[in-house]
Structure formats: structure tokens, C-alpha cells
Amino acid sequence: MSDAAALPGQPRGTVASGPATARTVNILAPNPSAMTLDGTNTWIVAEPDSDLAVVIDPGPLDDVHLRAVIGAVERSGRRVGLTLLTHGHPDHAEGAGRFAELTGTKVRALDAALRLGDEGLAAGDVITTGGLELRVVPTPGHTADSLSFHLPADRAVLTGDTILGRGTTVVAHPDGRLGDYLDSLRRLRSLTVDDGVHTVLPGHGPVLEDAQGAVEFYLAHRAHRLAQVETAVESGHRTPSEVVAKVYADVDRSLWPAAELSVRAQLEYLTEHGLIQS
């Protein structure tokens, strides 16, 4: 068995529903897969003495899961006051409309098409529902609409798919862009250095106890992959599928379609920066 403390970000054991920090509880959605890992983490966030909770990423359109989230909120003596989305991928957002119907809450997101209500989300916004302080951090790259939420009181950040609890994230070209993603990782690194964030609460996978270590691993991984892709192109592998077969030869072939999205984003980045010719 691997020593979790030796893994990038120091993951916290297995993934399960339950408390993660003083103000957060995870309800794991029943949608495990190669892309969603153990399933989607739906986060309930609330001040300890508040009767209102914020729910981040209700997850897939699964009534059993959505009602399990509501049940967990109600058992804590609270009600759902607001629903937030980190981004619009179905495994995070498909159930948001039904969840809003069940709870009577508004849904706030960066993408106007995902909102229910007049208010969206933007950089610098601070969520104060139930006395919380949740700061909106723009983290595009995985998708154009990706956001993270900084929870200063717990020295934590909820990252959606920008940082996962295990493995690395797909930059979902063409919506996702690698340059934006690298900027987002640097923005998260500044939270660890300047704001004392030490815990990552990801959209999939276990909680990470070493936020700075996780970000540094992601940045190093991206630099390594870019170098591999550049070398592959220089060796004559020109198309995205050819580059995937060369660079991701040791990766399960079921993940190659997702890898190709990231390769397309890498090729675009390398071309834009004059490191390869289109």
C-alpha cells in the first residue's frame, strides 16, 4: 500500500460521505467512473452555529443523491440557503435544477445558462449565506467557466475539477485552455503562500492535506507533459492521436479520448508560444 503522506497533496485516505473540515461535509454521489473517480463530491458548507447551509455542486440528476444531500443538511438542523456550481459539466451541475426545485433555492454559477435567479458569480464575490465567508476564485482552464471557492475560516479551497484528490485534470479543449489553466494553478498557489490555505476539497477524490504540494505537483506535471508533447512533435508525431499514442502509451486506453483533449490544448499552447509550428 502507498503511504498517503508521500503522495502529491497528502490525500486523506478513502473517499466517503461525512465531515471534512469544521464547516464542510461531503456527500459522495453514486456515479463512479474512470473520469469521476469515486464519484462527484457534493459539498455542504455551513457555519457551525448557522441554520443555513450552502451546497456546492449538487452532482448528477439522481433523485436519491439529491435527497441524501437534503437529508444530511436537515439532520444537521439546517436548511439549504443557496446552491453554487464550480462549473457546468453534468457530473457536477446536471442535478442543480432539480435540487433547486426540491429546496426552493437559487443556483449561482459563472455561466448564465446554469443560473436560476438573477445573481451570477464573478471574481472577488464573497458568499455570506448563513454567516459564511466563501470567496469566489476564478480558475478557468479545465473549462472556461471553472471556479473555486476559498473558505478562509477552514484554511481550505473547494476546487471542483481544477485540482482533483487523485490523479490530474483534463484540460477540456476547446472550451478549456492550457494557458488559463496554468494561470489558475498559480492563482491557487498564491492562496497557499499568501492566505494560508492548506486543505483542498476537490470535486472528485479524497481531501488533500497539503494544498501547496498538490499545486506544485500539478504545475510540474504540466511542464513535464508539455516537454513530452513538444518532443513527440519534433520526432514526427503530428496529429493529436499520434501524440497521445506516444506520450500516453502507459495510460489505460479507455482514457485516451480524454487525454486527446488535453493534448489538443497542449498543442495549441505550444503553437501560440512559438515552441512548435502548426
Side-chain angles (χ1 to χ4, degrees), residues 214-254:
V215 175
E216 296 292 358
F217 169 76
Y218 266 59
L219 284 166
H221 171 78
R222 286 295 166 191
H224 179 63
R225 281 293 194 219
L226 273 172
Q228 288 181 307
V229 170
E230 185 177 359
T231 298
V233 171
E234 290 172 349
S235 299
H237 303 278
R238 305 299 300 181
T239 68
S241 60
E242 289 172 349
V243 173
V244 168
K246 174 65 175 177
V247 174
Y248 292 81
D250 60 342
V251 174
D252 189 320
R253 282 176 174 259
S254 69

Side-chain angles (χ1 to χ4, degrees), residues 13-82:
T14 58
V15 185
S17 297
T21 67
R23 291 166 178 80
T24 62
V25 173
N26 178 33
I27 305 299
L28 182 63
N31 61 334
S33 72
M35 293 301 295
T36 60
L37 305 182
D38 309 86
T40 301
N41 294 330
T42 294
W43 291 102
I44 300 168
V45 190
E47 282 296 315
D49 59 353
S50 175
D51 62 354
L52 290 177
V54 173
V55 170
I56 299 175
D57 290 351
L61 184 55
D62 181 315
D63 245 42
V64 172
H65 172 64
L66 300 178
R67 291 182 185 277
V69 175
I70 295 168
V73 172
E74 291 177 344
R75 286 192 299 275
S76 72
R78 300 182 176 94
R79 61 183 176 85
V80 180
L82 181 65

Side-chain angles (χ1 to χ4, degrees), residues 8 10 17 26 49 57 66 100 118 129 163 165 175 181 193 241 255 265:
Q10 296 181 17
S17 297
N26 178 33
D49 59 353
D57 290 351
L66 300 178
D118 297 330
T129 301
I163 293 180
D175 182 44
Y181 185 66
V193 173
S241 60
L255 298 176

Side-chain angles (χ1 to χ4, degrees), residues 4-276:
L7 296 173
Q10 296 181 17
R12 186 189 295 176
T14 58
V15 185
S17 297
T21 67
R23 291 166 178 80
T24 62
V25 173
N26 178 33
I27 305 299
L28 182 63
N31 61 334
S33 72
M35 293 301 295
T36 60
L37 305 182
D38 309 86
T40 301
N41 294 330
T42 294
W43 291 102
I44 300 168
V45 190
E47 282 296 315
D49 59 353
S50 175
D51 62 354
L52 290 177
V54 173
V55 170
I56 299 175
D57 290 351
L61 184 55
D62 181 315
D63 245 42
V64 172
H65 172 64
L66 300 178
R67 291 182 185 277
V69 175
I70 295 168
V73 172
E74 291 177 344
R75 286 192 299 275
S76 72
R78 300 182 176 94
R79 61 183 176 85
V80 180
L82 181 65
T83 303
L84 304 175
L85 297 177
T86 61
H87 65 295
H89 279 169
D91 56 312
H92 293 258
E94 186 182 34
R98 175 60 174 157
F99 191 73
E101 179 184 326
L102 291 170
T103 59
T105 59
K106 296 178 179 179
V107 177
R108 294 181 63 180
L110 179 61
D111 186 346
L114 299 170
R115 301 172 191 165
L116 291 175
D118 297 330
E119 287 188 285
L121 292 171
D125 283 353
V126 180
I127 310 301
T128 57
T129 301
L132 269 178
E133 182 183 346
L134 268 178
R135 301 175 185 173
V136 177
V137 182
T139 48
H142 169 66
T143 60
D145 69 330
S146 288
L147 297 171
S148 296
F149 298 98
H150 177 201
L151 180 57
D154 285 355
R155 297 173 64 192
V157 61
L158 298 105
T159 55
D161 282 357
T162 299
I163 293 180
L164 304 177
R166 186 171 65 251
T168 55
T169 297
V170 173
V171 177
H173 183 274
D175 182 44
R177 292 176 58 86
L178 183 57
D180 291 342
Y181 185 66
L182 294 174
D183 287 343
S184 294
L185 291 177
R186 296 183 188 109
R187 193 170 295 119
L188 291 173
R189 180 170 59 186
S190 75
L191 288 182
T192 72
V193 173
D194 301 329
D195 296 277
V197 166
H198 62 65
T199 303
V200 172
L201 305 173
H204 304 280
V207 172
L208 300 177
E209 303 282 10
D210 176 16
Q212 186 172 353
V215 175
E216 296 292 358
F217 169 76
Y218 266 59
L219 284 166
H221 171 78
R222 286 295 166 191
H224 179 63
R225 281 293 194 219
L226 273 172
Q228 288 181 307
V229 170
E230 185 177 359
T231 298
V233 171
E234 290 172 349
S235 299
H237 303 278
R238 305 299 300 181
T239 68
S241 60
E242 289 172 349
V243 173
V244 168
K246 174 65 175 177
V247 174
Y248 292 81
D250 60 342
V251 174
D252 189 320
R253 282 176 174 259
S254 69
L255 298 176
W256 280 17
E260 185 169 326
L261 295 179
S262 281
V263 164
R264 288 180 181 275
Q266 290 161 343
L267 292 172
E268 179 182 66
Y269 179 89
L270 291 168
T271 301
E272 289 175 347
H273 287 76
L275 297 171
I276 62 172

